[in-house]
Amino acid sequence: MFLLGVVTLDSSLDLIVRTVTVQLLPLAFGAALANELLSGEQDEMPESGFPQNLGVYALGAIFLAAPVAPTAEVVVLAQRNGWLRHGILVVASLVVTYLVLYVLEFRGQSMRRRDRGPSEQLAQAGMAYAVSLLISVALLTAFGSLGNTPAASGIRRTVVLGFPATVGARAARVVLA
Amino acid sequence: MSRSDDSLGGALPWRGTDGDVDGAYLVERAITVASALLIAALLGYLFWQALVTPSAALPAATVESVDRIDAGEDPRLLVSVALSNHGEKGLSSAQVTVTCGDRSRTLEFANVPAGGHTTGTVTCPAGTDPRATPTAWIEA
């Protein structure tokens, strides 16, 4: 929520506690679900190669970003946050993608790391994020959020929607292949 | 120096098992490079904007066009007004006052994105010189 500008360093403790409390139930549910579905103790699945991996990234990104794309939250968050925060959001999306795919021991990690050096792993994380960005542009265009909008605003909205899209992309990579 | 297919064919990643060029590998490499360029361009743009965009620039209102409407004995001017937000943050609402001689009109705008603009229209009496001024705004 700090990354998205919902909570800032200037926010009162009261506001932070209330905002976090509202999010606790869905976050706890998501954590439990992830522990059940994505933990490294699950059976390993064969990893899909190129170009199937692009399809998996796109499917996951659409699954998670499509319900978010037509909402006003994307516009509001893009409008509220400054350029620097958007840049940090891009970096965070990339870092978390890399961590989920290759570091945090989610299901299938050993298969994903096999025969792949650090540069190859970074390239895969970058590819997942690039696919998420393209899906975000497509969804925003389809829902009319990019029409008659200055390019700068369109880029900010794409970065904001790219965050949940890339969560979906890497989750699909872990769950599906 | 020329490379020998016999000596290197099977060892290179873009060579298939039969020594042919692996098209899928090359396409994957191309997409990887395109992804890296896209991300680098995006990051460069975002951080460049962070450097050059003033954090507290005032919004600006301008008269974009004035069209005369002949409506019998009461001719009027159709005045199109643009509000531009040059600041780093969007405006959740803004108010623009359009002065038409000794009369004034007020336009209310909502959700003006950072670096964006929006337009509105008012009518003024014919023979006046409309001027637009932003008078109030709330940052998002």
Side-chain angles (χ1 to χ4, degrees):
Chain A
M1 283 191 284
F2 178 75
L3 266 180
L4 294 172
V6 177
V7 171
T8 67
L9 294 175
D10 298 330
S11 301
S12 67
L13 184 64
D14 176 54
L15 175 67
I16 294 173
V17 170
R18 281 188 287 129
T19 311
V20 170
T21 305
V22 168
Q23 296 291 326
L24 270 183
L25 183 64
L27 287 176
F29 181 72
L33 197 66
N35 187 46
E36 184 64 29
L37 284 177
L38 312 178
S39 70
E41 295 169 3
Q42 303 285 329
D43 293 337
E44 295 276 310
M45 288 188 304
E47 187 193 20
S48 58
F50 179 83
Q52 288 83 3
N53 58 350
L54 296 182
V56 171
Y57 292 145
L59 194 67
I62 291 170
F63 180 76
L64 217 64
V68 182
T71 65
E73 275 69 20
V74 176
V75 177
V76 170
L77 289 173
Q79 199 170 292
R80 180 201 300 253
N81 296 322
W83 289 106
L84 187 61
R85 196 182 291 270
H86 280 82
I88 293 171
L89 192 58
V90 171
V91 174
S93 300
L94 281 166
V95 170
V96 177
T97 300
Y98 177 76
L99 293 177
V100 168
L101 290 180
Y102 297 109
V103 177
L104 296 178
E105 302 282 343
F106 282 110
R107 182 167 68 170
Q109 178 170 300
S110 60
M111 299 290 280
R112 287 191 294 276
R113 292 183 70 135
R114 184 180 296 170
D115 298 333
R116 215 170 250 156
S119 62
E120 288 276 317
Q121 294 170 11
L122 282 173
Q124 281 293 319
M127 202 186 289
Y129 187 58
V131 169
S132 302
L133 286 177
L134 295 178
I135 292 295
S136 300
V137 170
L139 287 172
L140 289 171
T141 304
F143 289 115
S145 288
L146 294 185
N148 297 325
T149 305
S153 300
I155 289 171
R156 290 161 76 121
R157 290 176 191 180
T158 302
V159 170
V160 169
L161 187 61
F163 188 68
T166 193
V167 171
R170 60 190 176 236
R173 183 66 161 165
V174 172
V175 172
L176 299 178
Chain B
M1 178 182 164
S2 64
R3 289 186 305 197
S4 162
D5 284 351
D6 291 334
S7 60
L8 294 175
L12 295 173
W14 59 84
R15 295 288 186 190
T17 51
D18 55 357
D20 294 335
V21 173
D22 189 345
Y25 178 84
L26 294 178
V27 172
E28 186 179 10
R29 290 293 93 185
I31 291 176
T32 302
V33 171
S35 300
L37 289 175
L38 174 68
I39 293 166
L42 178 63
L43 277 174
Y45 178 78
L46 293 174
F47 288 119
W48 175 69
Q49 285 287 351
L51 287 176
V52 300
T53 305
S55 58
L58 297 175
T62 52
V63 174
E64 278 201 327
S65 65
V66 179
D67 297 311
R68 186 184 171 88
I69 308 170
D70 287 319
E73 295 178 356
D74 187 20
R76 289 176 172 271
L77 300 176
L78 203 60
V79 182
S80 178
V81 176
L83 176 70
S84 301
N85 177 17
H86 301 299
E88 193 198 21
K89 289 188 174 178
L91 305 176
S92 60
S93 68
Q95 199 174 63
V96 174
T97 301
V98 183
T99 308
C100 316
D102 57 352
R103 297 182 187 184
S104 66
R105 310 275 190 267
T106 302
L107 274 171
E108 302 269 358
F109 295 101
N111 294 323
V112 187
H117 73 279
T118 186
T119 57
T121 306
V122 296
T123 58
C124 287
T128 57
D129 181 21
R131 296 181 186 281
T133 313
T135 48
W137 57 88
I138 299 174
E139 281 191 349

